[in-house]
Every structure is written in C-alpha cells, then in structure tokens.
Amino acid sequence: MWGTMHWGHAVSRDLVHWTHEKIALFPTKSYDRNGVFSGSAIEKDGKMYLYYTANRYLKEQDENVHLADGECEESQAMILSEDGFHFDNWNGKRQIIPVIHDDEIADSMDTRDPKVWEENGVYYMILGSTYKHEIGRVILYSSKDRENWSYLSQCRMKNYGYMIECPNMFEVDGHRIFTGCPVTPLTCDGTVEYEAVSGYCFADFDAKTGKLKLADNYSLIDYGGDFYAQQSNLDEAGRRVMIGWIRMPEAVPEEKKCGKVRNLSAEDCVGEGNEEDKCTLSAVKENQVWNGMMSLPRVVEIHDGKVYFAVHPNVRKGLSKPVSSQEALRSGQPFCIKTTFQNGDSLNIGGYQISMENGTICTDRTKVFPHTDIKKLHCQIPNIGENISLEIFVEPNLIEIFVNDGEYVLSNAVYHLGTEIQGKAEEILTWIDDEIKEN
C-alpha cells in the first residue's frame, strides 16, 4: 500500500489470517498517472471513504514512462466505495486537495500520506511534508462533509528530520499520541544505516483552533529499524491497533503452492475462490519473488504514562501447540518463544543472536542478513532493568521481540535461518492445525 503504483486489497476477521482481494486502486487520472500512494479510509453510513496521495511526474523518462526524469508533484484525492470491495477507478475518484505551490503551506513535491479521522462532528486530515527540505512538518486540514477540505494549520519540528511521512494522531486512555516517520539519516561509525525511522510522541491538539504541538523529541516505535510506514485503526473491541511495513533489502522466492497460505506477518495469503481467482497472484505463481511484509498487529496502550506496543491478543490466541526447540525451526511454521532474561542470558535462533547485557536487550543478525546492505546488523533497546520477560515471534524472514508485553519492541528481517535453537527458551508454542485455516 505504501508508496506504490496501485493499492493492494486484503481482508481479515481477526487481524491474523488474511485473504487477498482484487486490486483496489490504480492510476487512471492525469493527477495520479504515476502513482496511487499511501493513505487511509473511514467508514460512514456503511460506505468507505478512501483517501490517498496522487503522484504525477513533471517529466517522464523517454525509455520508461514509469520513472521520473526530474521532479514530481503530489496532490490528495479520494474515492468512495459502497461496500469496501468495489472501487470505480474511472468515475469514482475526486481530487480534493490540488497541488500546493505555496511553500509556506506545503511542498508541491513532498506532501503525502493523508490520515483522516472524525472528532466532534468535524473531519480532520493530517499530512506529512517538509519545509524547504530542511525541517519536517505535518499539515492539518478540516472538513464537515468528508469531501470539501480547508487548510487548518501546520506544525514544523526541527528535531524530526527534513521530512515526515505517514503521520497519524489518535487518543488512548485520554492521551493524544502522534506517530510518524521522520526522514533523517541515522549513522553509525560514519555509515548511514537508515534514512528514516518510525517514531511517536505525545501531542497537544486543540480541535477548535486547529493548533497542534508535538513534543520536542520523538521516541522509536520499534528498535530494529526495519519497521516503517505504520498505520493504525480501531478493532472491534475499540483497541488502537498498529501494523507496520517491514523493509527488506533483498527479495525472497515465494512458495510454489496454491490455496490459502498463512503467514503471521505478510499479507501473502489467497482465498479459495473459483478457478479464475486461484493462482493468479504473484504470491502463488512459480518462480516469483516477494519483498517487504507486514508486522504483527500491535495494540497501543498506556501504562503509568508510558506508551506500550503489545502484540494483539488474537495472535496469542492461536499459539497453543507446544513444540520442541529441535522441531520449531525445522517445521517452517511461525512460532513464539516465551522466556525471561537476566544479564548474561542469551538465545541463538538459527544464527540470530539475542542477549542481555548491562540491562538492555541486544540482537546480532550478522549471520542471517545480507552484508551487501547498509542496514543495522546490531540493535538494542534502552536500559530496562535486571529481569525482563520476552515474547519472540519467529517466522522464516522476520523475528519480532516484545519486551515486557510491549514496553519495547525490536523487529528484524532475517534470511536463511538455521535449524537449531540454543540458549534460554523456556516455552515454545506454534499454531495448531485448525488455527492455520481461516474461520
């Protein structure tokens, strides 16, 4: 969904088992001819109002019209769906915020990722942008009818990089939280390891005046560096649920099978529809590869004034079959390791190293990550104390570590895990066969 030529479409009843639907959005207009970029949706009266960023190149390359020859421009658009499954890309689109050429309001090339929500009968839209490619900023619009939007205000943050992507703002237990992706190179020993991160902070927003104030500095949502472009919505129980995109440096060959494919993190499963629908997606074609996947769903919570990102209870619900350390990695199925750590404890998961040193959790993926990439091989969370609990969710290309039920999270993409688990793994659980099938 994030920064793509089109929008994929997947549905789930529990946020764990996903089924691919047909492509929802694709370029059809002059203003979105080069990309239908990230956005969000709201439901009103049984209808889905979907908002996205439309991308248009000012000049296309002569030999490949899908590549820009220089700069581009971005605007905001919407499309209405009567049922959330069918989208009229030819007649149902509308450009709601044209390209803005006033730098004091927005940047014409880098203003994107609309997140829309309703509050006290008024609809608000927050956009990520930059001020002169020097300071990250977010821009707010408001609407009374979801279709006609007026500029409201903006917030420029010197400590949030030179650009902010994928902004979002919501309330949890009376606390207003801002999440976004500051584009700011992170370096280690003079080497740039990441160009952008996912962060959060507490926010002060006056809905009457439209003024927004963010904390001077942000905290990381995930300390692994691969988690990015997060989105959040409410589930059926009213919990604020966040899912992010896991960045990967290299593609992975896809399994050559048809039918329903379960994957804890990636939305790479297809439905058992008619023959025309079967085996049509790249996820099940032979000799296909995929790159990038989605994280486990995380519930945003507040404990003692601190933000936690706990794994969604539906994930734990399906993990009920004990498995031995000898069987876990050999099975190829996702599993969870539950354990407790003190200083000096360690765990080796097929070459992926987790250890606790000086009150902090450290990871080392040197043996299970391509060295051709500049991303972090060693990660760690802040100092957390002497005794901690860990939930470690493992699948072939992703390991997500939840510390103290979400006090900190560290997720790493991995490649070619081995078959041995060594160290302090107190309990290992996998999915029972019935849970693999979607209800």
Side-chain angles (χ1 to χ4, degrees), residues 324-330 333-339 341 346-355 361-369 390-402 410 412-428:
S324 70
S325 59
Q326 292 79 20
E327 298 172 328
L329 284 170
R330 289 183 172 89
Q333 294 295 330
F335 61 90
C336 174
I337 298 175
K338 295 185 178 183
T339 188
F341 264 29
S346 64
L347 188 59
N348 183 332
I349 306 172
Y352 180 83
Q353 304 274 354
I354 306 173
S355 61
I361 292 295
C362 305
T363 65
D364 181 353
R365 56 175 169 175
T366 305
K367 296 181 179 180
V368 290
F369 199 76
L390 299 177
E391 282 183 292
I392 306 164
F393 294 87
V394 182
E395 59 179 284
N397 288 102
L398 178 62
I399 296 179
E400 297 177 81
I401 305 170
F402 292 80
L410 196 163
N412 281 153
V414 293
Y415 294 79
H416 308 299
L417 287 175
T419 58
E420 301 293 332
I421 296 177
Q422 300 173 334
K424 193 175 183 182
E426 296 175 355
E427 184 180 19
I428 306 179

Side-chain angles (χ1 to χ4, degrees), residues 83 136 146 149 151 189 235 325 379:
D83 57 7
R146 304 173 296 280
W149 295 85
Y151 171 78
D189 297 328
D235 68 7
S325 59
C379 304

